[in-house]
Amino acid sequence: MLRLAWRNVGRVPLRTALTVLAIAVCVIVHVLLRSINATWTDRTAQTPDNRVVARHRMGWDYQVPIHYVDEVQRMPGIRRAMGGAWVALKHPVRQTEYISAIAVSAEVFAGMHNELAAPVPDKRDFVANRRGIMVSDDLAKAFGWKRGDLVHLTGTQYPHDWELEVSCIVHSTRHGFGQRSLWMHWEHYNESLPPEARDRVNLIAAEILDPREGARLARAIDIHFDSGKEPTFTQEDQALAASMVGQQAALLEALNLVSVCVLGILALIVGNTIAMGVRERTAEYGVLRAVGFGPRRIAALIVGEACALGLLGGALGFALAFPLIEHPLSRYFESNLDLPRLVVPTASAALAFCLSGALGVVAAALPAYRASRLELVAALRQLG
């Protein structure tokens, strides 16, 4: 029976190939949507719980005075604090490519962010070199930068030509953090600004002594600056990551719904192919009935063919999902949509493969039932 079902799969090679390809595309799309969802939701779990982040109460685009960093540093429960300012930079030749740049207090930043993995001597070189920059590995790869290279970048918000040295290349172990990013010395950046724009930062990141005190310290920081002209809004780093995911909640729910719909399309594709095959082979099933095949065997033959089709397409989709999603598609989404790096959840890919076979069985249920209910005489009449 298995051999006969397998031979039936290849009876019309072109139709089989197109069906398998369509199933593979459905599997890849389903896994892609699940990967986007999982990558966003994993951000919160991977965010360290020993930091709080403060910004201007009006939003991230507003700035607060740099002396706020010193005041936060002096608060009880704070181990160390640093300020950071967004830097609008473009490559002078490849201006359409996205670069996330931020000026930071280099020594504190390097010591605080352990999720940016790099050799300790390289991080020390970054701290010691005022013109040095720390670069994410994906950004370095995109521009062909190596450690020790001099790179030329152009400021867009405040026109300035920068000659910077790649002191350290880091790999982010945290999804959605530090993608296509570079970090430069805040002091060096601050000196290049016009006088009225100096000594201000967009954020203050503080490492706390006790992770359980994060919420209390966040409130304490806001209370401290509440009476000033530029009040702050402070969150635990994990709460900040969760809020960013929450902003995409409707989109993530939509992605979940669409991924389920894609599986429904997969079942329809298999069902249509099997139904066409059953109609074409009605007379053959009549002959099988005549030589002693019972209705259950006929139904099993059709269901086996559908399951084989689904598993073939699922296997192709499973094999292509990892290289396609984690490399070209991930780079595209990172560069054009500012999404985190995509990582395919192995469990989701394996489930999609299994479901492709299971949905093939479900899709073949109606054609198999009808074929098993065929009257012998009526089926044999189609011989001519």
Side-chain angles (χ1 to χ4, degrees), residues 2 31 63 74 87 95-96 136 140 158 171 175 201 203 205 228-229 242 277 279 291 296 382:
L2 290 175
V31 174
Q63 294 183 318
R74 291 193 293 268
V87 185
Q95 296 192 9
T96 59
S136 64
Y158 299 106
H171 172 71
H175 291 169
V201 292
L203 65 89
K229 294 182 179 180
R279 286 194 300 269
V291 299
R296 291 185 179 179
Q382 300 191 29

Side-chain angles (χ1 to χ4, degrees), residues 266-284:
L266 185 155
L268 292 175
I269 292 171
V270 177
N272 180 65
T273 300
I274 295 301
M276 291 173 63
V278 168
R279 286 194 300 269
E280 293 172 356
R281 296 196 289 270
T282 299
E284 296 180 21

Side-chain angles (χ1 to χ4, degrees), residues 73-84:
Q73 174 72 70
R74 291 193 293 268
M75 295 180 68
I78 301 295
R79 174 178 284 124
R80 49 190 170 182
M82 53 147 279

Side-chain angles (χ1 to χ4, degrees), residues 223-235:
I223 292 171
H224 179 79
F225 296 112
D226 194 49
S227 58
K229 294 182 179 180
E230 296 172 297
T232 60
F233 176 72
T234 309
Q235 291 177 287

Side-chain angles (χ1 to χ4, degrees), residues 32-51:
L32 171 62
L33 297 175
R34 300 300 302 171
S35 299
I36 294 174
N37 195 305
T39 299
W40 271 101
T41 53
D42 283 350
R43 297 178 70 169
T44 303
Q46 295 182 355
T47 304
D49 62 354
N50 64 338
R51 292 201 295 259

Side-chain angles (χ1 to χ4, degrees), residues 310-331:
L311 291 176
L312 276 175
L316 180 61
F318 182 89
L320 295 177
F322 288 88
L324 281 177
I325 293 173
E326 293 187 348
H327 298 289
L329 289 177
S330 180
R331 286 197 295 268

